[in-house]
């Protein structure tokens, strides 16, 4: 659900590929891969390791040598984590996001990655918590557009899965979804994915006229095709 990031980072990762490959091939790195690394602040669902120990300190020192500093190393490993997410290799993606956060606890990409994994596992409430941390930390406007779009999608799905007996909470989730989509498009009104995802969210909210307007804008901007017979179903709802 939060995988659009994986496709968007591919061009950016090209400049890191040779560095990452050589780093991953390093014997010390291969032996100490921090497979269960769980630096303080990582989601409890990923618990598995104590805090920084001697082996982790060696890993950090090696990363600094390879990439120049902790921030650069953290970014590179997070980017590799997104490549693993694209390839549906969640275990390796989690390793890289954990390593990324170990190197820089304020790297929003690690929390975004946690949100992606939790979302894929259907743990939407937990995913939202991680994505909100990423939103607080993110310092790149271009990436913020995509993050906010992802957040709108997760908030919307979370609300849609709630029972009708939890109507107030459902309404709050959809309000948050609409707010995140709006924030995304305030930054970049031509970001097709936000129009597309917002249209589908509004459909779930039974706001069909608004959904149709958003869907038309998504089509104008050549967004990814809508799933299945979404547009036909929306047309039928509009005619009822």
């Amino acid at each position: 659900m939060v995988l659009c990031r994986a496709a968007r980072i591919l061009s950016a990762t090209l400049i890191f590929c040779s560095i990452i490959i050589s780093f991953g091939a390093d014997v010390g790195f291969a032996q100490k891969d921090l497979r269960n690394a769980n630096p303080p602040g990582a989601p409890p669902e990923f618990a598995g390791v104590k805090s920084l120990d001697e082996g982790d300190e060696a890993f950090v020192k090696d990363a600094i040598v390879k990439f120049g500093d902790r921030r650069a190393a953290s970014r590179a490993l997070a980017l590799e984590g997104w490549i693993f997410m694209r390839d549906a290799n969640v275990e390796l993606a989690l390793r890289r996001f954990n390593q990324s956060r170990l190197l820089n606890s304020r790297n929003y990409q690690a929390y975004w990655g946690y949100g992606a994994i939790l979302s894929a596992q259907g743990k939407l409430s937990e995913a939202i918590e991680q994505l909100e941390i990423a939103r607080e930390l993110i310092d790149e406007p271009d990436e913020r557009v995509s993050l906010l779009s992802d957040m709108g999608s997760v908030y919307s799905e979370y609300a849609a899965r709630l029972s009708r007996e939890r109507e107030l909470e459902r309404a709050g989730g959809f309000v948050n979804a609409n707010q995140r989509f709006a924030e995304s498009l305030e930054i970049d009104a031509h970001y097709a994915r936000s129009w597309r995802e917002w249209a589908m969210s509004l459909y779930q909210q039974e706001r069909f006229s608004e959904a149709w307007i958003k869907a038309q804008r998504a089509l104008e901007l050549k967004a990814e095709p809508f799933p299945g017979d979404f547009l036909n179903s929306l047309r039928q709802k509009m005619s009822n």
Side-chain angles (χ1 to χ4, degrees):
M1 185 179 302
V2 194
L3 303 184
C4 75
R5 163 84 175 153
R8 293 187 72 249
I9 54 83
L10 290 183
S11 60
T13 58
L14 292 178
I15 60 175
F16 288 98
C17 284
S18 62
I19 301 176
I20 290 174
I21 291 171
S22 64
F23 187 39
D26 180 82
V27 173
F29 179 73
Q31 290 177 343
K32 182 59 179 177
D33 200 18
L34 298 179
R35 297 191 177 190
N36 300 307
N38 186 49
E45 290 79 4
F46 305 146
V49 158
K50 55 240 179 215
S51 57
L52 197 69
D53 60 22
E54 290 183 4
D56 297 339
E57 290 177 357
F59 165 81
V60 170
K61 291 178 181 178
D62 195 30
I64 293 173
V65 171
K66 296 291 184 180
F67 293 98
D69 58 50
R70 292 180 70 132
R71 288 174 60 87
S74 176
R75 289 177 60 85
L77 291 171
L79 287 169
E80 189 179 9
W82 283 108
I83 293 175
F84 285 128
M85 283 298 292
R86 179 205 61 185
D87 295 336
N89 193 331
V90 177
E91 180 182 358
L92 285 178
L94 176 56
R95 294 186 200 178
R96 294 300 180 259
F97 292 135
N98 280 339
Q99 291 167 341
S100 174
R101 193 190 181 284
L102 179 66
L103 288 159
N104 177 13
S105 63
R106 296 189 61 79
N107 184 356
Y108 71 90
Q109 296 168 332
Y111 299 98
W112 196 347
Y114 289 151
I117 293 173
L118 289 165
S119 176
Q121 294 174 345
K123 300 175 181 178
L124 302 181
S125 178
E126 294 89 343
I128 287 170
E129 292 179 3
Q130 298 304 312
L131 294 173
E132 286 290 357
I133 295 174
R135 186 174 69 91
E136 292 297 321
L137 294 175
I138 193 168
D139 54 1
E140 299 179 71
D142 290 344
E143 292 295 321
R144 190 177 186 85
V145 173
S146 180
L147 173 61
L148 290 168
S149 182
D150 283 350
M151 294 182 71
S153 298
V154 178
Y155 268 118
S156 182
E157 187 63 24
Y158 173 74
R161 292 187 185 185
L162 295 174
S163 65
R164 292 291 180 178
E165 288 73 23
R166 302 171 67 180
E167 190 59 40
L168 186 60
E169 191 175 353
R170 277 174 56 90
F174 283 130
V175 166
N176 285 327
N178 294 333
Q179 182 177 353
R180 296 296 177 258
F181 287 129
E183 290 173 355
S184 175
L185 291 169
E186 284 176 5
I187 300 172
D188 183 359
H190 294 89
Y191 188 57
R193 185 174 186 276
S194 283
W195 291 106
R196 175 184 182 273
E197 297 297 316
W198 201 356
M200 292 191 290
S201 174
L202 289 167
Y203 182 96
Q204 292 177 313
Q205 299 174 52
E206 300 182 358
R207 296 165 61 174
F208 303 120
S209 296
E210 295 173 73
W212 182 255
I213 293 172
K214 302 295 190 293
Q216 291 304 301
R217 184 57 177 150
L219 293 172
E220 291 172 3
L221 293 171
K222 303 185 184 304
E224 178 185 349
F226 285 97
D229 62 348
F230 172 80
L231 291 176
N232 288 333
S233 179
L234 181 54
R235 289 190 185 95
Q236 292 176 2
K237 296 290 186 181
M238 291 280 293
S239 62
N240 292 340

